[in-house]
Amino acid sequence: MLENFHRSVTEAGIAFEAEDGDLSGSALSLLRLQRVYGLKAFDMAQGDYLGHKGPALSPVDAYEIGQVAFMVSRLNDSLEWLNASLRLMSNLPAQSGIKLSSTTVKALMGRVHLYGGSYDIAQRLYDEVKVTDPHGGDTVELGKELVERPTPKLQEYQDYRNLSRLCSLENRIHVPNPSHPSMVCRYRPGLLPYYRFKEEIISERPFASVIYNFTSDAEAETFKDRVKNRTVNYGLGGHYSVHLDAFEDKRTIEDRRKGPGNRIATLLLYLSDVTRGGSTVFTKADIAVPPIKNMALFWYNYRPDHHLDYLTYHAGCPVVIGHKWIANKWVWTAGNTFRRRCALSPHASQLDIEADMRNSYLPL
């Protein structure tokens, strides 16, 4: 079977073996999972992902992840993975044949400590490794750097606290005020006069709702089949950073005025269930929505006064276990001038606009 697979991918012009970019990308995915979900490197190396059992990693794997973390200035994470590599090596039999020595790991640890400003620890590690492996790459570099005293690396910092908290709220919709009177289930009318959507409103400001059974299983599979050679699929560690769907840059907005305009609303359709991870979270609005197959998440990117709604900053949480398939439909400002009007009051909500439109915008 492997020979047939190898022949097929070769004929298709696809690289059979992982390239350096694939390996570093995988390492960054694991580092992302570690940061967002608060995982421990040694637990991950043993295949423990929030209670789900995955493949165990070798000491070499852990070492290489530590290398990548060092390269992107994730110094604390790098030390955690390098320590995990040493622990894994200590559990191996003497004749394991592993092509990695503890000296190699400690030499890199010395460089990590040095760039973190811990010169004494770096010197101690260098004094140890230069005896057993004086010509090793990281040993040589560490010796040079101890003389040159490079400027400490600024560790990558991003406030993950709210993102991590929301991403960890699995398998349930989280909203800041579930008892608010507007949090209701309703039948929402569409363009066809006899058709209604089953909609659950989860937030009024910003307006966001979910529509269950928006597609059938057959339709979801058709979607996936038609786009399987392009990206709408998030695998291990797949995520989308915090962003707005609407364009903020004035020059971009001016260019878009000649075409579809800006993205007034978003419909996000989930085409698969995800075992762990993959929620859509609004970090400023304290909303988390887990991926549920055939469900659609809808929100307005504009406030009722037609200014951008910065409460719609959102992210796609990293996928821990499973695959996340989604499809997007953006509703543009062009062509929707009268279909979706501005509010009559600066304090109005999106629900007020619907009432005003039903009354044909006549004064009270």
Side-chain angles (χ1 to χ4, degrees):
M1 291 176 66
L2 184 60
E3 290 175 356
N4 290 335
F5 175 72
H6 192 179
R7 183 165 51 252
S8 298
V9 297
T10 301
E11 292 173 353
I14 302 172
F16 181 67
E17 295 181 347
E19 300 174 351
D20 289 342
D22 299 319
L23 295 174
S24 61
S26 298
L28 288 171
S29 294
L30 291 171
L31 289 168
R32 190 178 306 119
L33 293 178
Q34 179 186 6
R35 177 71 62 86
V36 172
Y37 294 103
L39 303 177
K40 301 296 184 184
F42 189 69
D43 291 340
M44 297 171 71
Q46 292 184 308
D48 183 358
Y49 294 86
L50 300 172
H52 295 271
K53 194 64 179 175
L57 302 178
S58 71
V60 176
D61 295 329
Y63 169 74
E64 291 180 345
I65 295 171
Q67 277 187 315
V68 172
F70 174 59
M71 291 169 57
V72 297
S73 299
R74 299 267 292 269
L75 303 183
N76 292 335
D77 294 336
S78 178
L79 288 175
E80 192 174 338
W81 280 100
L82 294 175
N83 276 309
S85 179
L86 291 176
R87 286 183 64 184
L88 292 171
M89 273 194 283
S90 67
N91 294 332
L92 292 177
Q95 304 299 323
S96 62
I98 183 174
K99 297 180 179 179
L100 179 69
S101 68
S102 60
T103 302
T104 301
V105 178
K106 290 179 180 179
L108 180 55
M109 290 178 74
R111 298 187 66 199
V112 177
H113 279 293
L114 181 64
Y115 278 94
S118 299
Y119 302 109
D120 292 342
I121 299 176
Q123 183 66 58
R124 178 171 55 79
L125 286 168
Y126 177 67
D127 291 340
E128 178 182 347
V129 300
K130 71 179 181 180
V131 176
T132 52
D133 188 19
H135 304 297
D138 281 315
T139 303
V140 174
E141 288 299 314
L142 178 57
K144 291 179 182 178
E145 290 164 349
L146 280 167
V147 174
E148 298 168 357
R149 291 293 178 101
T151 303
K153 286 188 176 184
L154 292 175
Q155 296 206 49
E156 179 212 351
Y157 176 77
Q158 183 176 345
D159 192 349
Y160 279 88
R161 288 174 295 181
N162 202 35
L163 178 65
S164 297
R165 182 179 62 82
L166 291 171
C167 287
S168 299
L169 298 172
E170 291 293 328
N171 301 321
R172 62 187 179 92
I173 294 175
H174 170 79
V175 294
N177 188 7
S179 60
H180 192 279
S182 65
M183 307 296 107
V184 297
C185 294
R186 65 176 183 173
Y187 285 102
R188 180 171 180 155
L191 290 178
L192 298 175
Y194 54 84
Y195 193 82
R196 297 290 185 270
F197 292 99
K198 297 176 182 179
E199 181 184 40
E200 178 183 345
I201 300 175
I202 60 174
S203 174
E204 183 181 16
R205 298 176 190 272
F207 181 90
S209 66
V210 292
I211 304 168
Y212 297 99
N213 300 317
F214 191 86
T215 56
S216 65
D217 287 342
E219 288 169 331
E221 294 307 312
T222 299
F223 261 119
K224 289 169 17 180
D225 185 62
R226 291 188 178 182
V227 299
K228 62 185 177 183
N229 293 325
R230 291 173 281 171
T231 53
V232 299
N233 175 277
Y234 296 82
L236 173 66
H239 80 304
Y240 210 108
S241 300
V242 179
H243 66 287
L244 281 179
D245 275 7
F247 303 111
E248 296 182 83
D249 184 77
K250 291 183 178 179
R251 289 172 297 179
T252 304
I253 293 173
E254 287 300 321
D255 291 339
R256 289 280 175 171
R257 288 189 196 281
K258 305 169 187 177
N262 212 336
R263 297 165 177 169
I264 194 171
T266 297
L267 182 81
L268 178 62
L269 178 60
Y270 301 103
L271 302 175
S272 65
D273 291 311
V274 180
T275 304
R276 192 74 165 85
S279 293
T280 304
V281 297
F282 295 80
T283 53
K284 291 182 179 292
D286 201 33
I287 297 171
V289 180
I292 299 174
K293 187 176 182 182
N294 298 324
M295 183 183 78
L297 170 62
F298 176 82
W299 71 88
Y300 287 106
N301 297 305
Y302 277 80
R303 300 196 319 241
D305 60 6
H306 203 65
H307 288 88
L308 292 181
D309 193 339
Y310 291 99
L311 289 176
T312 62
Y313 267 107
H314 62 285
C317 297
V319 174
V320 182
I321 305 292
H323 288 268
K324 176 184 175 184
W325 288 83
I326 63 169
N328 265 350
K329 173 65 178 177
W330 285 302
V331 181
W332 301 87
T333 50
N336 284 299
T337 303
F338 300 104
R339 190 172 291 167
R340 190 68 189 180
R341 300 185 183 184
C342 294
L344 293 177
S345 163
H347 306 294
S349 69
Q350 294 287 355
L351 293 175
D352 293 327
I353 293 180
E354 294 180 8
D356 291 335
M357 292 182 70
R358 284 195 297 269
N359 295 324
S360 301
Y361 272 70
L362 295 175
L364 296 176

